[in-house]
């Protein structure tokens, strides 16, 4: 080679230095672990994380939610990846608006926080079909979450898609991004014993497949005691201080600290006292835990038809530190923030070694951490449910309330006690800011259009709708002879319908005959009611209604919804007549859905009339102006029965205030072991009364509000409200 031009030599030298610097940065910027903690860039970390699910809020809300999480002392944001939102049909991907995953992760990075990305792609999460797309159910030969080739192929393809996208955007920690943890599968361990011989081999395959994607960060599997190396098994639950990983060289991690519980239509609303929540976390940390994640830190809203089920409510508030509307829930947010400060003060000792335990009394203990360079932290605990205690530790006296732990970051000064709440309680206030002037459009209950089709017998609902709608019409005809006794006596025959659907409405010759619905803890709906028939041909139309698709269970892809029968008329001269095997005509969805009445253009395509309250299957339309300010908005739907609601074409969700909550709403004490039925509210009232309307979906003027009412509620009682604390 000839001599190199000095300018080129300078450029090549600069590039070599730059490449060397990048290589050094890549080598140093790593995430690993040992038995104590995750190690980020060579440093052990005690990490506080919180779940915020990007589709359960709007992109306009994300920066504020993330900042409030950071202000609350969080290091990390955790989210699932929602397969059915991202791949609504095979090979057709969607990553926009509320499903803009890359934007969400980049916003977390901008705030200086880490990300725990739970790719799954099975989520559960009280999300429709557990996060699986409905088309997956109809892949030939498929069986969910087991050693099944079609399922594994689809799962691997989507997991690779997400990992590739994160890499291409430079979002893993070794690339300078925020993602420090990936998760494959979700809570599969308890399923292995009931999923058959393919379960364990599937779990091992999932782990091996994930590790082979080379994300450069650790993989976790929650509730997976047999997670193979190097995957870390983690704990989910109300308490996890009992938990240890399956290898001594893995850290003790808690991926879901349940801050409350979800609300189901017909169920009481769960709340978890912050004293117990803080106590649970301190118990975990004092025994050597190094990663905790609040599930949820902001629960948000099951917009549209995304709620799982059946019967999961539209609100996914979860009694989280940041409420459904994005406001701080006090004292929960502030009390936990103060605990996080105390834990961070103790971090030098916590990451240095394992604790030693000292007994201070019958219910009282001290867990002490010491480092070689003199750092010391102590956790003084009182496990008695109702009695406080005074203990002596290192010659000093400490008063411990019942069911509490005091944190001493220097082994001397108690800077925080889990049961001593200093933050004031701020109750949310819902203030009406507007009523509506309604027009109505009646859904046609006595005609079929060109899209209807006829089959012999009864067919499962999802197989016909593919979840394009919550609604499926089942229509058949019954001939009644002139000599039927009931035509003379007026003692009408009874129609009985057995359904795996969640609700149904019956119409005879176009007239409403009654409704029925099941419950969150019931897999069957039974309708039994007398019906008016006439001599000759009678048209019986059953509108089957889905209220969320199953999100958990063994092979829930085989679970059914819809009218499966038998459908029987009794009280005839012949006794009973089984209608199940005769011809039935099917129609997917409602006429108003097909016309797009919830949109501006669709709502202009029909003639709207005066609003008549208490009519089943009626569409209502109104316009409104937004109130001044930035306070979160909601609709008070307490005067309505059941249905769906849209604002400017955006689907707010399903509403069902007519389904009153059942449960135990007796007095609540924070002391003692918590479960989801403890400290509940709303018994005898609506499970959900208010429905979140994001500010970003509202214009200053001329907003279109459309309501589909199934039962026959009174729209004059609907009010727009603003939420403040």
């Amino acid at each position: 080679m000839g001599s190199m031009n000095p300018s080129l030599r300078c450029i090549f030298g600069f590039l070599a230095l730059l490449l060397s610097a990048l290589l050094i940065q890549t080598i140093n910027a790593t995430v690993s672990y040992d038995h104590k903690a995750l190690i980020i860039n060579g440093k052990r970390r005690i990490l506080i994380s919180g779940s915020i699910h990007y589709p359960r809020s709007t992109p306009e809300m994300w920066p504020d939610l993330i900042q409030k999480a950071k202000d609350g002392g969080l290091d990390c944001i955790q989210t699932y990846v929602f397969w059915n939102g991202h791949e609504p049909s095979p090979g057709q991907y969607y990553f926009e608006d509320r499903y803009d995953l890359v934007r969400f992760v980049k916003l977390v990075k901008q705030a200086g926080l880490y990300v725990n990305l739970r790719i799954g792609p099975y989520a559960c999460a009280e999300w429709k079909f557990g996060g699986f797309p409905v088309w997956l159910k109809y892949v030939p030969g498929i069986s969910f979450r087991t050693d099944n080739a079609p399922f594994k192929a689809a799962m691997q393809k989507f997991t690779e898609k997400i990992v590739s996208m994160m890499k291409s955007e430079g979002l893993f920690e070794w690339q300078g991004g925020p993602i420090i943890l990936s998760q494959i599968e979700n809570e599969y361990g308890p399923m292995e014993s009931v999923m058959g011989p393919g379960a364990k081999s599937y779990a091992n395959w999932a782990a091996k497949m994930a590790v082979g994607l080379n994300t450069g960060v650790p993989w976790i599997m929650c509730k997976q005691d047999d997670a193979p190396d190097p995957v870390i098994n983690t704990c989910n639950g109300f308490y996890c201080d009992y938990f240890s990983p399956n290898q001594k060289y893995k850290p003790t991690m808690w991926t879901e600290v349940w801050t409350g519980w979800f609300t189901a239509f017909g169920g009481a609303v769960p709340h978890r006292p912050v004293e117990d929540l803080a106590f649970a976390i301190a118990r975990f940390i004092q025994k050597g835990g190094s990663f905790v994640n609040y599930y949820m830190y902001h629960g948000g809203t099951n917009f549209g038809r995304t709620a799982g089920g059946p019967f999961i409510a539209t609100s996914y508030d979860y009694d989280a530190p940041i409420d459904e509307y994005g406001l701080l829930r006090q004292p929960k947010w502030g009390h936990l923030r103060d605990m996080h400060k105390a834990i961070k003060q103790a971090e030098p000792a916590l990451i240095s070694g394992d604790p030693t335990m000292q007994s201070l009394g019958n219910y009282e203990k001290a867990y002490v951490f010491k480092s070689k360079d003199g750092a010391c932290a102590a956790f003084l605990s009182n496990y008695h449910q109702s009695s406080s205690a005074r203990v002596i530790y290192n010659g000093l006296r400490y008063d411990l309330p019942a069911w509490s732990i005091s944190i001493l970051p220097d082994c001397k000064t108690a800077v925080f006690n889990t049961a001593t709440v200093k933050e004031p309680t701020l109750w949310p206030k819902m203030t009406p800011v507007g009523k509506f002037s309604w027009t109505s459009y009646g859904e046609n209950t006595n005609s079929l259009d060109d899209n209807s089709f006829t089959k012999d017998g009864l067919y499962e609902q999802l197989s016909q709708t593919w979840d394009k709608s919550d609604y499926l019409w089942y229509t058949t005809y019954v001939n009644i002879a002139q000599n039927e006794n009931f035509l003379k006596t007026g003692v009408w025959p009874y129609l009985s319908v057995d359904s795996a659907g969640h609700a149904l409405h019956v119409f005879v010759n176009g007239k409403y005959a009654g409704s029925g619905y099941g419950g969150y803890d019931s897999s069957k709906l039974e309708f039994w009611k007398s019906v008016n028939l006439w001599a000759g041909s009678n048209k019986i139309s059953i509108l089957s209604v889905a209220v969320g698709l199953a999100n958990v269970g063994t092979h829930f892809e085989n679970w059914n919804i819809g009218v499966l029968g038998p459908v029987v008329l009794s009280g005839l001269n012949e006794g009973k007549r089984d209608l199940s095997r005769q011809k039935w005509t099917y129609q997917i969805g409602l006429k108003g859905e097909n016309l797009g009445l919830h949109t501006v253009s669709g709502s202009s395509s029909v003639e709207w009339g005066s609003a008549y309250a208490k009519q089943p299957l009626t569409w209502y339309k109104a316009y409104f102006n937004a109130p001044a300010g930035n306070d979160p908005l909601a609709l008070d739907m307490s005067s309505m029965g059941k249905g769906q609601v849209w604002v400017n074409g955006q689907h707010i969700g399903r509403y069902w205030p007519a389904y009153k909550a059942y449960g135990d709403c007796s007095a609540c004490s924070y002391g003692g072991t918590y479960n989801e039925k403890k400290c509940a509210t709303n018994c005898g009232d609506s499970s959900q009364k208010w429905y979140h309307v994001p500010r970003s979906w509202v214009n200053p003027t001329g907003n279109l509000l459309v309501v589909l009412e199934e039962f026959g509620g009174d729209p004059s009682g609907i009010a727009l409200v603003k939420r403040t604390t």
Side-chain angles (χ1 to χ4, degrees):
M1 294 178 63
S3 61
M4 183 179 291
N5 181 292
S7 297
L8 289 175
R9 185 181 293 113
C10 181
I11 292 171
F12 279 114
F14 172 75
L15 290 174
L17 286 172
L18 180 61
L19 180 60
S20 176
L22 288 172
L23 286 172
I24 292 171
Q25 182 180 6
T26 301
I27 292 169
N28 289 336
T30 58
V31 183
S32 60
Y33 62 82
D34 63 12
H35 84 288
K36 247 338 266 174
L38 289 178
I39 301 170
I40 303 175
N41 296 325
K43 183 180 179 181
R44 286 175 174 167
R45 295 293 308 274
I46 303 295
L47 294 172
I48 311 295
S49 176
S51 289
I52 299 175
H53 295 160
Y54 51 99
R56 282 176 158 143
S57 53
T58 64
E60 292 77 11
M61 294 172 66
W62 293 344
D64 182 62
L65 295 174
I66 294 165
Q67 186 60 48
K68 285 174 177 172
K70 183 177 183 179
D71 293 343
L74 267 58
D75 306 293
C76 182
I77 300 297
Q78 181 195 90
T79 185
Y80 285 117
V81 177
F82 295 87
W83 188 357
N84 52 15
H86 293 304
E87 194 177 5
S89 58
Q92 301 297 313
Y93 296 102
Y94 182 78
F95 289 92
E96 299 175 20
D97 194 41
R98 298 192 343 266
Y99 292 93
D100 194 341
L101 174 60
V102 168
R103 179 180 175 185
F104 180 78
V105 173
K106 287 184 175 179
L107 285 170
V108 177
K109 173 180 167 56
Q110 289 175 19
L113 301 179
Y114 296 121
V115 169
N116 172 198
L117 194 65
R118 307 177 78 180
I119 299 174
Y122 168 69
C124 184
E126 290 74 57
W127 188 264
K128 178 172 65 176
F129 221 42
F132 288 152
V134 168
W135 58 258
L136 191 69
K137 172 181 170 73
Y138 300 103
V139 172
I142 203 161
S143 183
F144 286 2
R145 303 178 74 199
T146 190
D147 194 358
N148 170 266
F151 178 76
K152 292 193 297 183
M155 174 177 167
Q156 181 167 347
K157 181 182 176 184
F158 181 74
T159 304
E160 289 174 343
K161 171 76 175 178
I162 297 301
V163 170
S164 176
M165 178 179 287
M166 297 300 104
K167 284 183 179 178
S168 67
E169 295 287 343
L171 295 177
F172 287 104
E173 203 277 344
W174 56 270
Q175 299 175 296
I179 302 173
I180 58 169
L181 286 170
S182 313
Q183 179 178 307
I184 195 70
E185 250 296 337
N186 185 47
E187 297 187 335
Y188 189 71
M191 307 290 289
E192 282 191 15
S193 63
V194 292
M195 287 290 283
K200 188 171 182 62
S201 58
Y202 161 71
N204 289 332
W205 167 85
K208 183 178 179 180
M209 180 270 290
V211 172
L213 298 178
N214 298 315
T215 62
V217 300
W219 284 90
I220 60 175
M221 296 178 87
C222 59
K223 285 192 175 182
Q224 191 73 43
D225 292 341
D226 59 358
D229 292 350
V231 177
I232 307 167
N233 64 305
T234 68
C235 186
N236 293 351
F238 289 118
Y239 306 93
C240 278
D241 50 298
Y242 63 87
F243 171 77
S244 296
N246 61 13
Q247 297 288 356
K248 292 183 178 179
Y249 44 79
K250 295 179 182 179
T252 304
M253 303 176 65
W254 191 358
T255 36
E256 290 189 13
V257 182
W258 297 337
T259 59
W261 201 245
F262 61 86
T263 299
F265 289 126
V269 179
H271 303 275
R272 187 176 188 183
V274 69
E275 298 94 332
D276 176 70
L277 180 58
F279 181 55
I281 292 168
R283 282 166 62 170
F284 181 74
I285 297 293
Q286 76 178 1
K287 288 192 174 182
S290 59
F291 178 96
V292 296
N293 175 79
Y294 294 101
Y295 190 98
M296 300 292 296
Y297 199 74
H298 164 73
T301 307
N302 293 317
F303 295 116
R305 298 187 301 110
T306 58
F311 301 99
I312 304 298
T314 296
S315 171
Y316 199 66
D317 183 84
Y318 227 89
D319 201 40
I322 304 175
D323 73 16
E324 177 182 1
Y325 300 87
L327 301 178
L328 301 183
R329 172 168 277 115
Q330 296 286 30
K332 185 169 277 189
W333 181 88
H335 190 56
L336 296 174
R337 173 205 57 200
D338 294 344
M339 180 179 64
H340 303 154
K341 288 180 181 178
I343 291 171
K344 290 299 182 180
Q345 286 178 257
E347 187 173 17
L350 297 177
I351 62 174
S352 298
D354 297 322
T356 59
M357 192 273 285
Q358 304 173 24
S359 176
L360 304 178
N362 292 332
Y363 295 91
E364 300 81 37
K365 297 177 181 178
Y367 288 85
V368 182
F369 297 80
K370 292 183 178 180
S371 70
K372 293 179 180 179
D373 59 5
C376 183
F379 290 69
L380 309 184
S381 59
N382 175 12
Y383 278 71
H384 199 284
Q385 296 184 14
S386 57
S387 297
S388 61
R390 174 168 289 181
V391 299
I392 305 296
Y393 170 69
N394 278 356
L396 298 175
R397 291 183 179 180
Y398 298 89
D399 291 317
L400 303 177
W403 201 251
S404 80
I405 295 174
S406 286
I407 301 176
L408 288 59
D410 60 357
C411 284
K412 295 179 182 178
T413 308
V415 301
F416 179 84
N417 178 270
T418 59
T420 304
V421 180
K422 298 178 181 178
E423 199 75 28
T425 299
L426 300 180
W427 297 105
K429 183 179 181 182
M430 307 299 273
T431 305
V433 291
K435 286 276 192 176
F436 305 98
S437 178
W438 297 98
T439 55
S440 69
Y441 176 83
E443 181 72 25
N444 196 325
T445 60
N446 199 33
S447 69
L448 299 165
D449 63 26
D450 294 339
N451 295 319
S452 63
F453 51 94
T454 301
K455 296 185 176 185
D456 290 330
L458 297 166
Y459 281 77
E460 193 270 341
Q461 181 172 341
L462 195 58
S463 67
Q464 307 304 305
T465 67
W466 279 44
D467 195 43
K468 303 300 182 186
S469 170
D470 275 356
Y471 306 101
L472 179 65
W473 284 104
Y474 293 74
T475 299
T476 195
Y477 296 87
V478 177
N479 285 314
I480 297 297
Q482 295 279 359
N483 63 347
E484 285 286 351
N485 288 333
F486 73 82
L487 293 172
K488 302 173 184 177
T489 64
V491 179
W492 302 107
Y494 277 84
L495 178 70
S496 65
V497 181
D498 281 15
S499 174
H502 310 135
L504 59 79
H505 311 295
V506 177
F507 297 83
V508 176
N509 297 320
K511 294 185 177 181
Y512 178 66
S515 298
Y517 52 91
Y520 175 71
D521 54 358
S522 173
S523 60
K524 192 174 182 181
L525 187 170
E526 294 181 344
F527 174 89
W528 172 265
K529 194 167 184 180
S530 63
V531 290
N532 292 12
L533 301 174
W534 54 49
S537 179
N538 292 261
K539 184 178 184 180
I540 295 178
S541 301
I542 303 171
L543 182 63
S544 179
V545 187
V547 189
L549 302 181
N551 55 263
V552 68
T554 57
H555 293 295
F556 61 84
E557 75 274 16
N558 296 325
W559 294 10
N560 294 319
I561 58 173
V563 180
L564 301 181
V567 177
V568 176
L569 266 180
S570 57
L572 305 178
N573 291 354
E574 66 200 77
K576 294 182 179 180
R577 187 185 303 181
D578 190 344
L579 311 180
S580 306
R581 293 180 178 84
Q582 63 186 47
K583 289 187 181 296
W584 288 81
T585 300
Y586 297 84
Q587 184 157 313
I588 298 169
L590 301 176
K591 181 179 180 182
E593 287 182 296
N594 297 327
L595 292 171
L597 295 187
H598 61 284
T599 66
V600 173
S601 58
S603 66
S604 303
S605 66
V606 301
E607 192 72 29
W608 295 75
S610 301
Y612 297 102
K614 300 188 182 303
Q615 296 298 309
L617 283 189
T618 302
W619 296 80
Y620 295 99
K621 180 178 76 169
Y623 292 93
F624 68 96
N625 297 332
N630 295 312
D631 294 320
L633 301 177
L635 290 168
D636 181 347
M637 302 294 291
S638 56
S639 68
M640 302 301 283
K642 177 187 181 301
Q644 301 181 34
V645 57
W646 295 261
V647 170
N648 293 328
Q650 297 279 8
H651 200 332
I652 300 300
R654 303 182 182 98
Y655 67 84
W656 202 346
Y659 204 159
K660 304 306 181 184
Y662 63 90
D664 180 4
C665 292
S666 56
C668 169
S669 169
Y670 77 85
T673 302
Y674 179 80
N675 63 64
E676 68 273 17
K677 296 182 179 180
K678 182 180 178 182
C679 299
T681 62
N682 289 50
C683 293
D685 199 354
S686 300
S687 299
Q688 182 178 351
K689 176 179 179 179
W690 293 294
Y691 295 79
H692 181 206
V693 180
R695 274 279 182 173
S696 60
W697 291 359
V698 175
N699 304 315
T701 60
N703 296 285
L704 172 66
L705 172 61
V706 175
V707 173
L708 165 63
E709 170 61 25
E710 296 177 26
F711 284 173
D714 182 359
S716 66
I718 298 175
L720 185 68
V721 301
K722 66 177 182 180
R723 185 177 179 92
T724 55
T725 53

